[in-house]
Amino acid sequence: MNINGLVTQEEREILSGEFQKVFNTFARSFTVFKAPIVQTLVSPSLVPQGTFGFGAAPVQTQEIFIPVSQNFSGVIRYYSHKHLGQMMPIQDTNTLTPVGQVQIQVMADAYNYIESGQTDLFSFDQKNWYFAGRGQAYPFLGGLYYKYQLAPKT
């Protein structure tokens, strides 16, 4: 069913604005960690190089890992279906959630960051999470939101 034919442009703008308010009301902060940048530092040899490397001091290398992360806001949903297999407690709460049943809804800026390069993990609620499925686009009255299914990183 195409909702665009059921509402006028003015109603669509009102509903879209209200949906944005709801998103902002329930949005929480989370951090997306990308693969770290690796810089290799090579210290120059203090002894002059000999012929074909003979008589040269060993080259010392050091790798520096620079973490890459960015904070975003999104709606995080813990599903609390009972009796769906393996359950895990959510720290500092009195609830259980099925393993892999955490969904995060984000806007386009977070989606673009997550999809560019290698995303290692998500961090929120003092826990690390990884992808349990591909991101799915959810258009709503001209706005575009994306949802990811996440599982706890053990």
Side-chain angles (χ1 to χ4, degrees):
M1 177 179 196
N2 187 356
I3 196 168
N4 292 331
L6 299 176
V7 294
T8 66
Q9 181 63 30
E10 181 182 345
E11 291 171 329
R12 190 176 304 132
E13 290 172 6
I14 292 169
L15 288 172
S16 180
E18 290 300 316
F19 188 75
Q20 183 64 40
K21 286 180 189 176
V22 170
F23 182 89
N24 291 338
T25 299
F26 293 104
R28 296 178 24 212
S29 179
F30 64 93
T31 305
V32 178
F33 290 92
K34 301 296 239 174
I37 297 173
V38 180
Q39 287 185 343
T40 304
L41 303 176
V42 179
S43 60
S45 176
L46 300 176
V47 178
Q49 295 291 324
T51 307
F52 302 113
F54 292 104
V59 176
Q60 295 181 358
T61 62
Q62 179 184 7
E63 288 185 340
I64 298 175
F65 294 90
I66 301 170
V68 179
S69 65
Q70 190 168 342
N71 292 328
F72 293 98
S73 62
V75 178
I76 300 167
R77 290 187 180 102
Y78 290 92
Y79 291 98
S80 59
H81 302 118
K82 296 181 180 178
H83 310 295
L84 284 180
Q86 185 180 0
M87 304 289 277
M88 62 174 236
I90 301 172
Q91 188 175 8
D92 300 330
T93 66
N94 287 330
T95 60
L96 294 173
T97 185
V99 173
Q101 292 294 319
V102 176
Q103 189 179 70
I104 188 165
Q105 183 178 4
V106 300
M107 296 179 68
D109 60 339
Y111 172 80
N112 292 334
Y113 183 79
I114 291 167
E115 293 296 321
S116 67
Q118 178 185 344
T119 299
D120 282 346
L121 58 93
F122 295 82
S123 180
F124 53 87
D125 294 342
Q126 295 87 33
K127 203 163 177 74
N128 292 330
W129 307 83
Y130 66 91
F131 289 115
R134 300 273 312 150
Q136 297 175 331
Y138 285 90
F140 182 75
L141 296 173
L144 192 56
Y145 299 89
Y146 301 89
K147 290 183 182 181
Y148 290 96
Q149 191 76 19
L150 304 177
K153 188 167 184 125
T154 55

